[in-house]
Amino acid sequence: MANDVRRKILRLLRWKNLTASEIANAFDISKPSISRHLDILKKAELVSCKRQGQFMIYSLNMMLGSKASL
C-alpha cells in the first residue's frame, strides 16, 4: 500500500475499533479526506464498518491475511 495515511489508519485499527472522528483526530488533514481514505480501504476490503447509533465504527478486516503490510 503506497499511501502513508491509509497505512496509519490500518495500524490504528490493529489495536481497537474506532469511529471516523477518532480516526480523523489522529491526523492533521480534513475529515472529508479521511472519509475518502476510509472508502478506499473499504473497497479494498481491508476495513469494515458498521453503524452504531449515529456513529460509524471502523474495524480491521480480520480476513486481511497478507493483503497489506502494516
Side-chain angles (χ1 to χ4, degrees):
M1 177 171 304
N3 188 280
D4 290 335
V5 172
R6 291 192 287 274
R7 275 197 298 268
K8 184 174 178 182
I9 291 171
L10 292 174
R11 283 194 302 270
L12 289 170
L13 293 173
R14 285 177 82 176
W15 303 110
K16 67 177 187 173
N17 299 344
L18 298 167
T19 66
S21 291
E22 290 171 324
I23 294 168
N25 288 339
F27 296 90
D28 191 28
I29 60 176
S30 70
K31 287 185 181 181
S33 291
I34 292 295
S35 274
R36 283 192 294 278
H37 287 293
L38 288 167
D39 284 341
I40 291 167
L41 291 170
K42 285 191 305 187
K43 287 178 184 172
E45 298 180 353
L46 297 174
V47 300
S48 58
C49 68
K50 64 180 178 180
R51 180 168 294 283
Q52 189 172 24
Q54 65 182 6
F55 301 104
M56 294 299 290
I57 308 294
Y58 289 86
S59 59
L60 191 61
N61 183 350
M62 294 316 240
M63 301 304 288
L64 182 64
S66 62
K67 274 191 172 184
S69 170
L70 305 178

